[in-house]
Amino acid sequence: AGIRAVAVDLPSYGDSGPRHDHESDADFTKALIEALHLDRPTLIAPSMSGKYAIPLVLEYPEVVNGWVAVAPVGATKIFNDVWEGLELATMVVWGQNDRMGEAGAKYLQHIPGAQSFTVPNVGHACYLEATDIFHREILRFMVSIGTGGGTAATVAGGRRR
């Protein structure tokens, strides 16, 4: 589809060590996007990466072209009026059997124009359990917001060190 994918292990996840800076999570993520020379990527943020994605999209929405919120942790801690003020192309994704993801989706659907997609018959890790469906919907969203040949940056949690 002509889209460049960049995947990042969050600090203390996968093969990444802990952070030793004192930046906010939003500033850290913004600096990471800039250091990787990503020009307004579509941010795909599953689960624990919500800790980084949510502050970024609320404080620096201009840094990204769009946001794919995949059952992000922390979505229910933000008031609906804050989500209603976010002007960013957003797709909300969760697995049909994921109660936590469904709860977060109810908040995120307050983002004006947010698209949503429930991945059928899977749980929290819908991006791992139904990759073909997940990828098809992500590509459809990226085309719909005009990403074209742009970049998709995934900030991912995963196995804790």
Side-chain angles (χ1 to χ4, degrees):
I3 295 173
R4 178 177 154 224
V6 176
V8 176
D9 283 335
L10 291 174
S12 298
Y13 287 91
D15 292 327
S16 293
R19 278 176 56 189
H20 298 291
D21 61 64
H22 299 288
E23 292 180 300
S24 71
D25 293 335
D27 289 334
F28 174 85
T29 309
K30 181 177 183 270
L32 177 65
I33 289 170
E34 291 168 353
L36 294 172
H37 304 288
L38 303 177
D39 182 26
R40 298 192 69 233
T42 299
L43 184 65
I44 303 170
S47 190
M48 291 301 293
S49 60
K51 176 182 184 306
Y52 289 84
I54 290 170
L56 178 78
V57 302
L58 292 177
E59 292 180 42
Y60 304 111
E62 71 280 358
V63 171
V64 294
N65 182 51
W67 177 33
V68 178
V70 187
V73 170
T76 59
K77 295 180 181 177
I78 308 297
F79 292 111
N80 288 339
D81 62 333
V82 174
W83 291 125
E84 290 167 357
L86 181 60
E87 295 183 22
L88 179 65
T90 303
M91 181 177 191
V92 183
V93 181
W94 69 98
Q96 178 182 9
N97 303 325
D98 178 10
R99 296 301 147 234
M100 183 181 77
E102 182 179 26
K106 288 179 182 175
Y107 285 77
L108 295 170
Q109 289 172 342
H110 286 273
I111 299 170
Q115 300 177 35
S116 63
F117 181 72
T118 305
V119 183
N121 305 313
V122 297
H124 187 68
C126 60
Y127 47 94
L128 296 175
E129 297 175 54
T131 54
D132 289 344
I133 295 170
F134 181 78
H135 291 158
R136 181 190 71 223
E137 292 302 314
I138 298 303
L139 289 172
R140 183 191 60 73
F141 171 71
M142 291 180 72
V143 167
S144 78
I145 65 170
T147 300
T151 302
T154 302
V155 291
R159 179 181 49 84
R160 188 88 126 135
R161 286 184 117 221

